[in-house]
């Protein structure tokens, strides 16, 4: 699909992350005003809350954009999602009639003037461990190459239930957590700030339809509203002490940063690609039914306080072993109810080479191989003052599809977490 031309000139650049082909959904405010739902187009935000109030757009029988989140719109279902996208495209396309342009012009806000907020209300949050290269690397570090993957890994998407309260929008500071730490040479654990704080480069899938019964992979794919970049902040030393036998808990509860714009499944369809070959055929309820991954170039940059950023890794979402649709279908097999606004983290997206690893744990190989930044500093894990930024882009024919950066700066741990 080539670039779709808009009468908004800034949307027609091959390097703009928000052309007419994209139209991602977010929530914004201006100068402390009310939070409105908006759509990114070029360097502008189309205020769809205003357009609904003015009667220009009415996706539902009653207002859905009078609240600062997209959940009410999601509930209307895939057909409404498609119709609304078609309406937006017609309003913003080159050649739109003068009346439509005038209505849209009155609802455009410069992106530079806006503060981005959480784009949806997170109902539940589940994080998966579905990137093979990451799972293999971690297994090699803590076991051995012959037993790197758990026995079940090639048969089901492994995951754990996280905290919806941990999910924050890009630009929110992340405070270094306290927790129980224990090194092998210590007889007892100690309560200290994490010394091995890390990130995980992931993609988050947003569930846009509810279900309280098992669904197929195809049905699960239709339930997915869109995708965001996701940074699963992880305290590796807390995790090492607590994770047996039930897996991650407080090590993953500090923060989960997401990018500000929801890129719809429709915008990503031109970039759909297959999952990798299987060593073992998946059971029928999880088998691949078509391309359900996406060709999304991903990278992470790290900027020490007051210093320039360095790109520390580059990879691609097509490296995942399980698609979001397979993860969602597996999640429902027990009859587990899925809700509008559920968030599914993909798991760390690492490539096969050292420079494509999606976490500092892998990049520094557990801290044994510190890496050097452009500033000359070295890192094994995240230090106070560091700003970590996730980037994601699809490259089309004369256009790009972007998510907006997913950024967080680590600030020092509380001096006394129990001081009142």
């Amino acid at each position: 699909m080539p670039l779709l031309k808009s009468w908004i000139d800034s949307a027609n650049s091959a390097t703009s992350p928000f052309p007419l082909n994209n139209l991602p959904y977010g929530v914004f405010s201006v100068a402390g005003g009310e939070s409105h739902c908006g759509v990114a187009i070029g360097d502008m935000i189309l205020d769809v809350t205003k357009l609904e109030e003015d009667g220009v757009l009415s996706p539902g029988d009653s207002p859905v954009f009078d609240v600062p989140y997209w959940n009410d719109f999601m509930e209307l279902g895939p057909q409404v999602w498609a119709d609304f996208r078609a309406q937006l495209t017609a309003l913003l396309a080159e050649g739109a009639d003068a009346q439509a342009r005038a209505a849209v012009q009155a609802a455009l806000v410069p992106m530079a003037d806006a503060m981005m907020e959480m784009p949806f209300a997170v109902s539940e949050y589940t994080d998966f461990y579905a990137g093979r290269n990451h799972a293999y690397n971690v297994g090699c570090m803590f076991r051995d190459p012959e037993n790197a993957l758990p026995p079940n890994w090639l048969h089901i998407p492994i995951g754990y239930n996280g905290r919806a309260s941990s999910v924050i929008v890009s630009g929110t500071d992340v405070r270094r957590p306290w927790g129980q730490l224990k090194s092998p040479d210590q007889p007892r654990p100690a309560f200290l700030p994490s010394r091995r704080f890390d990130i995980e480069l992931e993609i988050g899938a947003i569930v846009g339809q509810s279900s309280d019964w098992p669904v197929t992979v195809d049905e699960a794919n239709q339930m997915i509203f869109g995708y965001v970049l996701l940074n699963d902040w992880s305290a590796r030393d807390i995790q090492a002490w607590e994770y047996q036998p039930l897996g991650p808990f407080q090590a993953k509860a500090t923060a989960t940063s997401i990018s500000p714009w929801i890129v719809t499944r429709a915008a990503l369809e031109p970039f759909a690609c297959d999952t990798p070959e299987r060593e073992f055929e998946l059971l029928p309820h999880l088998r691949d039914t078509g391309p359900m991954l996406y060709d999304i170039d991903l990278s992470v940059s790290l900027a020490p306080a007051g210093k320039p950023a360095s790109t520390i890794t580059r990879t691609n979402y097509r490296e995942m072993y399980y698609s979001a649709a397979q993860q969602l279908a597996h999640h429902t097999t027990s009859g587990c109810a899925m809700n509008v606004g559920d968030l599914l983290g993909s798991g760390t997206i690492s490539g096969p080479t050292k420079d494509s690893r999606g976490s500092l744990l892998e990049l520094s190989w557990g801290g044994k191989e510190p890496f050097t930044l452009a500033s000359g500093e070295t890192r094994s894990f995240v230090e106070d003052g560091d700003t970590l930024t996730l980037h994601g882009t699809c490259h089309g024919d004369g256009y790009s599809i972007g998510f907006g950066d997913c950024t967080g700066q680590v600030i020092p741990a509380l001096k006394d977490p129990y001081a009142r």
Side-chain angles (χ1 to χ4, degrees):
M1 179 185 294
L3 171 70
L4 301 176
K5 289 291 188 73
S6 171
W7 56 266
I8 298 175
D9 290 339
S10 61
N12 298 329
S13 166
T15 59
S16 170
F18 306 123
L20 190 57
N21 305 63
N22 192 350
L23 301 179
Y25 303 146
V27 171
F28 73 99
S29 60
V30 177
E34 291 185 352
S35 302
H36 282 194
C37 293
V39 176
I41 178 71
D43 59 4
M44 307 294 285
I45 299 174
L46 179 61
D47 187 340
V48 295
T49 298
K50 176 174 171 52
L51 288 183
E52 185 179 59
E53 290 172 350
D54 294 346
V56 179
L57 289 173
S58 300
D61 295 332
S62 57
V64 292
F65 298 131
D66 57 344
V67 288
Y69 43 77
W70 282 78
N71 299 53
D72 288 2
F73 175 77
M74 291 186 217
E75 287 186 1
L76 299 178
Q79 187 57 58
V80 173
W81 306 346
D83 293 345
F84 182 70
R85 181 176 173 83
Q87 284 182 280
L88 288 174
T89 301
L91 287 172
L92 295 165
E94 189 176 62
D97 66 59
Q99 185 176 358
R101 288 180 61 157
V104 169
Q105 192 74 54
L108 288 174
V109 175
M111 202 171 282
D113 296 343
M115 174 174 288
M116 300 308 299
E117 302 174 12
M118 278 291 296
F120 69 107
V122 181
S123 299
E124 309 277 358
Y125 168 49
T126 303
D127 193 32
F128 285 88
Y129 185 56
R132 177 161 188 175
N133 293 311
H134 173 70
Y136 178 78
N137 288 338
V138 172
C140 288
M141 264 183 258
F142 296 106
R143 289 185 295 275
D144 62 78
E146 294 300 316
N147 299 291
L149 297 178
N152 59 353
W153 201 93
L154 295 171
H155 300 275
I156 57 171
I158 298 172
Y160 68 92
N161 290 314
R163 294 284 298 173
S165 62
S166 76
V167 184
I168 55 177
V169 73
S170 173
T172 307
D173 289 342
V174 176
R175 188 175 292 280
R176 183 179 297 273
W178 284 70
Q180 278 202 18
L181 318 179
K182 184 185 180 302
S183 60
D185 57 345
Q186 290 177 315
R188 294 172 58 83
F191 187 65
L192 297 166
S194 172
R195 298 165 177 170
R196 293 162 68 91
F197 202 40
D198 197 3
I199 63 144
E200 291 189 354
L201 168 58
E202 303 190 24
I203 291 283
I206 300 163
V207 179
Q209 292 285 274
S210 61
S211 171
D212 58 3
W213 59 86
V215 300
T216 67
V217 171
D218 284 328
E219 289 169 338
N221 196 46
Q222 293 299 311
M223 290 168 62
I224 296 173
F225 179 66
Y227 294 81
V228 291
L229 302 178
L230 186 149
N231 183 352
D232 176 27
W233 298 88
S234 303
R236 300 299 186 186
D237 39 10
I238 298 173
Q239 184 177 358
W241 173 236
E242 75 175 5
Y243 84 102
Q244 295 186 16
L246 294 181
F249 184 38
Q250 292 301 89
K252 301 280 192 170
T254 299
T256 303
S257 300
I258 64 169
S259 52
W261 295 104
I262 302 170
V263 177
T264 64
R265 189 164 47 83
L268 293 174
E269 277 309 301
F271 308 95
C273 56
D274 291 318
T275 48
E277 287 188 31
R278 309 292 183 190
E279 284 87 340
F280 302 99
E281 187 176 30
L282 297 175
L283 293 179
H285 69 284
L286 285 177
R287 283 180 194 158
D288 302 276
T289 60
M292 290 184 187
L293 289 178
Y294 301 102
D295 182 3
I296 307 173
D297 283 333
L298 300 165
S299 64
V300 179
S301 60
L302 189 159
K307 296 182 180 176
S310 302
T311 297
I312 60 174
T313 191
R314 297 182 189 275
T315 184
N316 193 290
Y317 182 54
R318 63 173 174 258
E319 296 289 346
M320 296 304 300
Y321 195 78
Y322 296 101
S323 68
Q326 288 168 316
Q327 293 170 347
L328 176 53
H330 178 64
H331 210 327
T332 69
T333 53
S334 65
C336 168
M338 304 304 299
N339 302 309
V340 172
D342 281 355
L343 175 65
L344 307 182
S346 63
T348 307
I349 307 165
S350 294
T353 58
K354 185 173 182 178
D355 61 356
S356 62
R357 296 171 181 170
S359 66
L360 275 69
L361 176 71
E362 296 167 88
L363 288 166
S364 70
W365 207 250
K368 296 176 182 177
E369 302 173 8
F371 56 92
T372 303
L373 304 174
S375 63
E377 297 181 42
T378 60
R379 286 291 184 278
S380 293
F381 293 96
V382 182
E383 296 189 5
D384 291 348
D386 288 350
T387 296
L388 280 296
T389 304
L390 278 53
H391 315 268
T393 307
C394 300
H395 300 283
D397 180 9
Y399 70 96
S400 300
I401 297 289
F403 293 75
D405 293 344
C406 179
T407 297
Q409 183 178 40
V410 174
I411 59 177
L414 295 170
K415 291 184 178 180
D416 181 353
Y418 295 103
R420 297 289 185 269

